[in-house]
Amino acid sequence: MSASYNAVGSNPSPYGSGDPYYNESSGFITPHPVKKRTSNWLKIGVPVLIVVIIGAVLGGVLGSRASKTNGESSNSSSKSEAAASSAASVKLEVGRFATATNSEFMMPIYPSTTNTAAFTSPTFTSTTNNALAWPADPFQPSKPSVTTTRTDRPRLIAPAYKWQALPSLIKGDPYLKGWNDTIFGNASEYYSLPPVRYNLDGGNGILDNSREIKMRIKAFAYVYHMTNDTKWVDRTWVELQASCQNAAGNGTSSFGPDTDRWNSGHFLDTAEMTAAFAIAYDWLYSQWSDDQKSQIRSTLIEYGLHYGVTPNPNALWWQTNTTGNWNCVCNGGLTLGALAILGDDTSGIAEQVLGQTIPNALQNCALAVSDDGTWSETANYWYFGTTGHAEMSSALLTATGSHYGLLDVNPNFSKTGNFHMYVAGSTSLFNYGDHGPNKFSTTANSMLFYGDHYNEPQYMLFQREQYDAAEPWSMFWYNPTVSGAFWDGAALDQFFDNGLDQWASMRSSWTDSDALYVAVKAGKLQGHQTHNDLDAGDFVLDALGTRWAGELGSGDYLAPNYFSNDTQNSERWLYYRKMTEGQNTILINQANQNVAAAPVVKHDTSGTTQGSSTVLNIPKDSTAYWIANLSTAYFNGASVNRGVRMLNGRKQVLIQDEVNAPDSIQWRMHTNATVNIDSSGTSATLTLDGKTLTIEMVAPPSGATFKTTNAARFASDPAPPVPDQPNPGVTVLTIDLPAGVYTLQTLFNPQWSGMSASDFVTPPTVALAQWSLTSHDN
């Protein structure tokens, strides 16, 4: 949804003052563009991903790694080496699995093939061949200490031994080669641009500036190491201290005010700029003169680290009970800054910072993942939080030899890669709640880091196909011994049952761009760092390569009290995109849901998994369903239960609502499609992107008919502090019923190629309490 972000007064709350300047809503619901998107978020990696073509799939025998311990393989050393060599040969012959990237949704496109020699189970091969695998890190302290770093540089994320090994690995790995080419291309583009100019967006933040500078510095420093061409060092210095506005503030015109240049009142800005300067200082350490090092170091301390240890509740509120992206990003940036100058810093502030950031991140950031792997905020804020967490953990490991518990204090953190995989649909994320700002240097490449550390090769295999994989972190977090296909053996369904989250993901394929995907949520409506919506029962639906039921995404982050709090009377819930009206769920009495909701869910699945082939033949009895008792989300004794299930070999979806309410009832779904309703009013035909989907009521209650309306508040709604953003190109499909007791069944029928009307099924009416895996068999 394109957002109209109009500058309004700043929000007085700590969280509100943290976010008001964000200027991008990445909701799907914008009328779909014909040409490729070109926003800064989507840019990284696109050139290579779109043009790369995969060669023929050839046979190969792949080895395996059962765990990352001394007993990694039960095979003999010679067999392991042979397996690794074979896997590498297959990788070079096959190339990258995704043949292209969909330019509308930026999702990978896989070849339709049953030739599966390379598409084997996810695994790591075991080898000591330095042409195929990273050599061992020579820095292995017996008793790691956060104040004792490796003696060589760089020390952050990419140690010297990896730089030395990288050229050979690039030659033998099509992913590394493609990413390397893209990084060079992006760096060349950034090189020709003027330095990032100071822009206090909305009067409250420079986060876009900070992340763009970080993105550029990573690329410049990377290309220098790969070429030894000092022009990249010089360009980095220009970015840091240009004669025009600059981040260090030492040029002829300053970057922001004379004090607090990096805007500590919105500490994300400070943290990301600190990380950017840390990377520049460390990665180009050998090239800086003593005077340049002193300037970078003093700037890091004065405008970054100093504010991380100076008591200021208004700036450091994120240090307390903040299990989300703020804590991860802020502690991560400060940690990188401190590690970069540790040993050169004579003030002692670097050690002081590390004494605070690590224990604080253990108590907050590391706990942002629930016991089912779901990120506490939203699917989009996962990117920011895990990037900060992975950067911090990786930097500590490479610089000092330990992560000090960041990766295992929460025993469920290893599951968050699974969350990210299943929250991705056929076209885009199940993007509930707020989407956040421009991502710039933020990617999903934490999946590479977690895949290697937690021995979850499927995370790495999934992420390496994505459009945002090509950036410097991926070159060092990727383990080139990984092989196989992430989808081989992957379950089509996954249920996430933590009471905070409660959501389900069901699909017909991992590799078919046209696949049916439905995701639905319940969960609590508080405890999400004020980034959620009032959306119990909300769902999205993909099929035929487009999204039929979607999310509006972020509201106006500049709007007054948008982030004020998550209590029932919060003004946040007056904005259309955040209120229950703006969701794909049941509305009772035209009122918002109860923030104290505690839904109860149950579910089952036939357990269908995808094999090695990208072509999946679904058995007709393959199904899954999810049921939520949403009654606690409503007032006045209303009873609401919603069930969602796959039908007919995962070709159709049934949504069934059982409602008993003393007030008016409305079923709502937001869509970009053009909607035509038949004369009976009980069938709607949706057309979008040249495709068609029908929605039919099964055994409709008397008087139930489809209607359409605009995605806008009711005239009777309380007015928000400022007018809502417009939602152009969005239609709301509704069903209105008076108070009463109803069973409302809506059947979604994508019009699949080659499927006739007689191939669709009309399910029997079965009470939700009686649903089972076989309850709808015909």
Side-chain angles (χ1 to χ4, degrees), residues 171-395:
K171 293 177 182 178
D173 190 286
Y175 291 92
L176 288 174
K177 184 181 185 305
W179 300 337
N180 180 74
D181 292 346
T182 299
I183 296 168
F184 268 72
N186 286 339
S188 296
E189 183 174 339
Y190 307 153
Y191 186 94
S192 63
L193 297 174
V196 175
R197 292 182 176 272
Y198 179 86
N199 178 33
L200 192 66
D201 195 351
N204 290 282
I206 58 166
L207 184 55
D208 275 3
N209 290 170
S210 298
R211 284 182 170 147
E212 186 172 4
I213 290 169
K214 179 182 174 185
M215 177 181 69
R216 291 185 182 189
I217 287 174
K218 285 165 62 178
F220 295 154
Y222 175 87
V223 176
Y224 163 72
H225 274 277
M226 299 301 290
T227 63
N228 289 321
D229 187 341
T230 56
K231 80 172 190 179
W232 299 102
V233 180
D234 297 338
R235 181 60 182 84
T236 303
W237 186 249
V238 168
E239 196 67 49
L240 297 177
Q241 307 211 165
S243 59
C244 59
Q245 297 185 30
N246 61 91
N250 296 319
T252 58
S253 59
S254 66
F255 187 92
D258 291 338
T259 59
D260 197 11
R261 292 191 192 279
W262 295 352
N263 196 38
S264 68
H266 183 257
F267 209 87
L268 290 176
D269 310 8
T270 306
E272 292 284 40
M273 197 74 84
T274 299
F277 271 62
I279 295 161
Y281 186 84
D282 178 61
W283 279 26
L284 300 177
Y285 189 84
S286 65
Q287 296 301 304
W288 299 130
S289 67
D290 289 344
D291 181 62
Q292 287 175 315
K293 288 177 186 174
S294 177
Q295 287 192 51
I296 299 173
R297 195 165 58 243
S298 63
T299 301
L300 263 173
I301 293 171
E302 182 176 0
Y303 301 124
L305 302 184
H306 163 76
Y307 288 97
V309 296
T310 302
N312 182 353
N314 292 327
L316 303 180
W317 58 268
W318 49 267
Q319 293 181 338
T320 305
N321 297 323
T322 306
T323 54
N325 84 99
W326 269 82
N327 191 271
C328 298
V329 173
C330 294
N331 278 318
L334 289 171
T335 298
L336 265 63
L339 289 172
I341 67 172
L342 194 65
D344 295 346
D345 166 42
T346 58
S347 70
I349 196 170
E351 291 191 13
Q352 186 181 359
V353 165
L354 292 169
Q356 293 184 12
T357 57
I358 297 171
N360 189 259
L362 290 170
Q363 297 165 8
N364 293 275
C365 168
L367 304 183
V369 172
S370 65
D371 61 8
D372 60 15
T374 303
W375 189 259
S376 63
E377 294 160 296
T378 69
N380 267 289
Y381 272 94
W382 175 94
Y383 283 79
F384 301 107
T386 59
T387 294
H389 175 267
E391 288 176 348
M392 182 175 179
S393 301
S394 178

Side-chain angles (χ1 to χ4, degrees), residues 40 163 265 525 579 647 764:
N40 286 310
W163 288 106
L525 302 178
M579 60 202 307
L647 291 173

Side-chain angles (χ1 to χ4, degrees), residues 552-676:
L552 295 174
S554 300
D556 185 348
Y557 279 31
L558 293 172
N561 294 325
Y562 184 85
F563 291 106
S564 55
N565 58 74
D566 59 7
T567 61
Q568 191 67 49
N569 294 322
S570 172
E571 289 189 308
R572 176 180 176 84
W573 313 132
L574 295 179
Y575 295 106
Y576 181 81
R577 294 190 183 187
K578 304 295 103 181
M579 60 202 307
T580 305
E581 280 172 45
Q583 319 308 317
N584 302 325
T585 192
I586 297 295
L587 189 68
I588 303 293
N589 198 31
Q590 298 186 355
N592 275 331
Q593 290 177 338
N594 184 351
V595 299
V600 177
V601 300
K602 66 177 183 177
H603 46 75
D604 205 352
T605 173
S606 57
T608 308
T609 60
Q610 184 159 342
S612 58
S613 174
T614 60
V615 179
L616 181 58
N617 295 314
I618 301 290
K620 193 170 181 65
D621 62 353
S622 175
T623 189
Y625 68 85
W626 180 91
I627 301 169
N629 184 334
L630 304 173
S631 301
T632 57
Y634 297 92
F635 295 99
N636 299 331
S639 171
V640 178
N641 289 269
R642 166 160 281 187
V644 179
R645 76 178 295 136
M646 292 282 204
L647 291 173
N648 196 18
R650 299 177 184 262
K651 294 182 177 66
Q652 299 169 259
V653 171
L654 173 67
I655 295 181
Q656 181 166 314
D657 296 295
E658 296 176 356
V659 183
N660 182 347
D663 303 293
S664 63
I665 301 161
Q666 188 176 68
W667 183 99
R668 294 175 67 84
M669 188 193 91
H670 294 72
T671 184
N672 284 147
T674 298
V675 180
N676 290 294

Side-chain angles (χ1 to χ4, degrees), residues 62-112:
L62 307 185
S64 64
R65 180 177 71 177
S67 65
K68 296 184 70 176
T69 65
N70 290 334
E72 281 184 271
S73 174
S74 61
N75 297 328
S76 67
S77 176
S78 61
K79 288 184 177 181
S80 295
E81 294 298 336
S85 178
S86 176
S89 297
V90 170
K91 186 184 297 184
L92 284 173
E93 291 288 348
V94 172
R96 296 161 81 166
F97 287 177
T99 56
T101 294
N102 178 294
S103 62
E104 181 177 357
F105 294 107
M106 305 310 297
M107 299 294 282
I109 298 173
Y110 297 98
S112 179

